[in-house]
Amino acid sequence: MTQDAAGWRADPAHPAVPCVAVTLDGQTLHLPEGQSLAVALAMAGQLELRRSPTAGTPRGMFCLMGSCQECLVHVDGNAVLSCLEPVRAGMSVERDLLHRARDGASA
Amino acid sequence: MSRYDVIILGGGPAGMRAAITARQHGLDVAVIDEGQRPGGQIYRAPSRDLQPHERAGATDLAQGERLRAAVAESGAHLLTRHRAWAAAPGIRVDCIAPDGPISLEADALILATGTIERVIPMPGLTLPGVIGLAAATILLKAHAVVPGGPTVVAGVGPLLYAVAAGIGKAGGRVAAVVDLLAPSEWAGALLGLISRPDLLARGAGWMAGLRRAGVPIHHRATLAAIHGGRGVEAVEIAPVAADWSMIPGGPQSRIAAASVAVGHGLVPATEFARLMGVAHRYDAARGGWVPEVSEDGRAGENLYIAGDCAGVSGAAAAELAGSLAGLGVARDLGRISDDTYEKLTARLRPSLRRAQRFGWTISAMMALRPGLACGIAPKTIVCRCEDISRQAIDNAVAGGVRHVNQLKSTTRCGMGPCQGRSCADAAAEIVAANTGLSREAVGIWTPRVPLRPIPLEIALGDFTYADIPWPPMLPA
Ligand SMILES: Cc1cc2nc3c(=O)[nH]c(=O)nc-3n(C[C@H](O)[C@H](O)[C@H](O)COP(=O)(O)OP(=O)(O)OC[C@H]3O[C@@H](n4cnc5c(N)ncnc54)[C@H](O)[C@@H]3O)c2cc1C
Ligand code: FES
């Protein structure tokens, strides 16, 4: 990456959104409330949301409109499209990366 | 089960305008949309309070708010956060709502499902940090977020310049714009675009801004590859011929990037129309497969199709088509006479034709050319859901596959959770190129319900073992 590389971030012309605590695979993160979960995770540097089911390559949000299904994560135990899911205080987000790592370890 | 006079599937400009019109003629209307609020793609509602200010999208934001206010006042039932997964003649639409599954019934149906973006794959397309070009408009407009920079913006059509300019205005950095078209092709389209001087001026503003910012613009070029391990690190830019095939041995340049926005045109979202049994034809200049409808959007008994899902023609045309569909249903359901219908629609049709002329000029520029998909490398993933490579599709065709449905059953290409929405065009182009058949001949996937993934309990229905009608026991 080049020197002026910068993360995914909010347009500074808009008022900042208050952040709330959520957990991602058990770790606490502070994300902007009401923001699309997939976008908020990208802003927190978490672009990888899942692994492809056969080749296991990293995947992240792609269409942001509920079509591609690449942004699927589990929120409080339910499978949701994170691009369409607003950030709520206390939500528990799990990616399937963990399970794969665990499966891999036990295999 | 809730019952309405008319269900409108899709709350974009076409659906909102159809709802407003149908309400004006006293119909009981339900609008279904999976978004948090109505708006559709171009007028997508901001995810939080954004200050409209001088930036790409501010005009759209204002028009979107006007339409949203009008549809809210109209008295239509706005069923947002409802994702439709099936529709049947009769008319019945099945959705997943925030509180669980619901089914709606109505006498008439207007489909206004809009478009999805076509992205013809290249190596690295599936890397996190690569998003669609249309997705980038959502990122900028609805979320007011810029992708991690530097960003490479690539593909075809006006969204390229809208996104590149938007990223710059919102404080991001664009490393390069990679446009499949030559400047002469843009100039050649001017005649068809002249009817909308406001939009032309907006486009000129984007270009001037990019030039001032010193953003390199590569014309007649494509992304040969996106490089990176777990995220984007660089892209490879290569020149293309007029049919969008990469020029063998052409000068390639590699530039550093942290994100990519790439899109190759918009495709009408026709899965519900196909499920309802409407005939379709292939028309590359309108985005691909389009339903057979009358000029007023009538597709059959109490069934109308309006907006970009009937052929890509842009937001202004979508609103007018929505009005026509609303009037069509009001007439079919006996709320207005044939005379009133003729009088009201006669006023709208010339405006619709003018708007379509503009929209069709743009969709014709974005029409997919054969070289792009032909050049997909053997190892490149075409079907993201199932990890199916170009090579696997070539092998299937060599083994006798002649239709995309055969391809789906032999390779699983298009069978994953996205229901083939992401790879449909690339897969069909490859089958067509390898067999020498037309896109019409290689066909389109047969839609299968559920059209969106749904929890298993819903697919199985909510009955239990006790509800299963066992035949009475025979006397022993
Ligand atoms: C992602 C994206 C971004 C775009 N950005 C721009 C832009 O910035 N500028 C521009 O000029 N044009 C843009 N376009 C083109 C734009 O689509 C049209 O010009 C215009 O929005 C078409 O209006 P419409 O009413 O026909 O469809 P849309 O505006 O696409 O509305 C369709 C609606 O249907 C809903 N829907 C579809 N399927 C379902 C379902 N199964 N269940 C529930 N709801 C459903 C969608 O959520 C959407 O709200 C964009 C297109 C896309 C795909
Ligand atoms: S990013 Fe495509 S469905 Fe969420």
Side-chain angles (χ1 to χ4, degrees):
Chain A
M1 254 186 265
T2 54
Q3 272 180 329
D4 56 350
W8 297 58
R9 61 200 185 282
D11 176 350
H14 296 289
V17 183
C19 285
V20 293
V22 308
T23 61
L24 176 68
D25 302 330
Q27 289 203 310
T28 302
L29 288 181
H30 293 272
L31 303 180
E33 185 168 26
Q35 182 71 276
S36 147
L37 175 60
V39 173
L41 288 172
M43 294 165 79
Q46 301 289 344
L47 282 164
E48 187 177 336
L49 298 178
R50 47 189 288 275
R51 292 288 176 95
S52 72
T54 42
T57 56
R59 299 294 172 86
M61 63 179 181
F62 183 70
C63 73
L64 286 176
M65 60 179 280
S67 174
C68 74
Q69 316 288 314
E70 289 281 31
C71 65
L72 196 86
V73 298
H74 284 82
V75 170
D76 301 330
N78 301 314
V80 303
L81 295 177
S82 56
C83 67
L84 301 178
E85 191 73 14
V87 169
R88 280 175 284 103
M91 74 203 302
S92 154
V93 184
E94 303 235 18
R95 297 177 290 186
D96 81 343
L97 308 176
L98 274 188
H99 306 101
R100 299 211 149 254
R102 222 178 285 141
D103 292 348
S106 62
Chain B
M1 190 162 327
S2 313
R3 207 183 159 86
Y4 306 89
D5 292 328
V6 55
I7 294 170
I8 299 172
L9 181 47
M16 287 192 284
R17 195 49 84 185
I20 294 163
T21 308
R23 283 294 305 141
Q24 279 164 354
H25 299 287
L27 294 171
D28 191 18
V29 177
V31 180
I32 297 171
D33 198 288
E34 63 188 323
Q36 303 282 329
R37 291 164 65 201
Q41 302 308 352
I42 181 167
Y43 303 138
R44 184 169 284 267
S47 63
R48 48 198 172 80
D49 286 338
L50 299 181
Q51 310 279 11
H53 67 128
E54 273 310 306
R55 66 180 174 99
T59 340
D60 294 342
L61 191 59
Q63 173 62 6
E65 291 304 341
R66 274 195 292 276
L67 262 179
R68 258 190 292 282
V71 78
E73 260 169 41
S74 75
H77 302 270
L78 301 179
L79 307 178
T80 51
R81 301 180 63 197
H82 280 55
R83 179 173 306 150
W85 58 270
I91 280 164
R92 172 185 162 139
V93 179
D94 295 295
C95 306
I96 319 246
D99 304 328
I102 76 161
S103 298
L104 313 172
E105 284 188 337
D107 295 327
L109 176 64
I110 299 176
L111 295 175
T113 49
T115 58
I116 55 166
E117 190 169 45
R118 161 172 57 227
V119 186
I120 302 297
M122 70 285 300
L125 180 69
T126 57
L127 281 172
V130 180
I131 61 172
L133 190 57
T137 70
I138 297 176
L139 187 73
L140 291 165
K141 277 202 240 182
H143 307 305
V145 166
V146 290
T151 306
V152 170
V153 182
V156 67
L159 290 188
L160 270 181
Y161 297 94
V163 165
I167 291 174
K169 274 198 175 158
R173 193 168 93 72
V174 179
V177 174
V178 185
D179 187 344
L180 282 164
L181 296 180
S184 60
E185 291 174 285
W186 282 97
L190 277 181
L191 203 60
L193 304 177
I194 210 77
S195 62
R196 290 296 302 273
D198 55 329
L199 294 182
L200 271 184
R202 212 201 282 184
W206 295 332
M207 301 289 278
L210 291 171
R211 227 168 285 129
R212 265 199 311 278
V215 173
I217 300 177
H218 302 254
H219 282 285
R220 270 281 167 85
T222 195
L223 290 185
I226 303 166
H227 299 292
R230 297 178 72 170
V232 178
E233 286 160 19
V235 304
E236 205 86 45
I237 300 170
V240 294
D243 73 347
W244 296 353
S245 59
M246 266 187 267
I247 296 171
Q252 301 211 349
S253 51
R254 186 186 173 108
I255 58 173
S259 61
V260 172
V262 56
H264 300 126
L266 300 173
V267 182
T270 57
E271 42 197 347
F272 282 93
R274 284 182 280 128
L275 201 57
M276 295 293 287
V278 176
H280 284 67
R281 70 193 153 83
Y282 187 76
D283 185 346
R286 301 278 191 278
W289 288 92
V290 292
E292 301 276 14
V293 293
S294 74
E295 195 192 7
D296 296 352
R298 195 166 196 275
E301 187 76 22
N302 296 336
L303 177 62
Y304 284 77
I305 306 180
D308 276 2
C309 65
V312 176
S313 47
E319 272 195 55
L320 290 156
S323 297
L324 282 168
L327 291 171
V329 168
R331 186 219 23 217
D332 287 4
L333 298 184
R335 300 306 168 96
I336 57 174
S337 67
D338 287 352
D339 281 354
T340 310
Y341 176 77
E342 283 312 324
K343 211 173 75 215
L344 294 175
T345 52
R347 271 190 237 144
L348 293 171
R349 283 193 205 102
S351 314
L352 176 64
R353 285 191 204 119
R354 209 172 318 121
Q356 280 173 337
R357 191 167 133 79
F358 180 86
W360 288 346
T361 302
I362 291 189
S363 65
M365 287 169 81
M366 300 193 293
L368 185 58
R369 301 187 193 173
L372 197 59
C374 277
I376 300 173
K379 283 193 184 144
T380 303
I381 296 299
V382 174
C383 167
R384 308 171 66 105
C385 297
E386 300 284 328
D387 279 323
I388 309 290
S389 67
R390 161 80 194 248
Q391 185 69 62
I393 299 175
D394 286 344
N395 293 347
V397 176
V401 160
R402 293 288 175 275
H403 191 283
V404 293
N405 282 335
Q406 295 170 324
L407 178 71
K408 189 171 172 177
S409 53
T410 52
T411 62
R412 294 190 61 83
C413 180
M415 212 182 261
C418 93
Q419 289 272 18
R421 279 186 293 274
S422 305
C423 66
D425 257 348
E429 286 282 315
I430 294 170
V431 176
N434 292 14
T435 56
L437 295 169
S438 66
R439 280 292 303 270
E440 201 108 45
V442 304
I444 182 167
W445 328 114
T446 304
R448 294 251 164 78
V449 291
L451 292 175
R452 297 289 186 279
I454 55 171
L456 195 59
E457 314 86 79
I458 298 174
L460 296 175
D462 46 12
F463 47 73
T464 64
Y465 233 68
D467 299 321
I468 299 174
W470 293 103
M473 290 273 236
L474 290 176

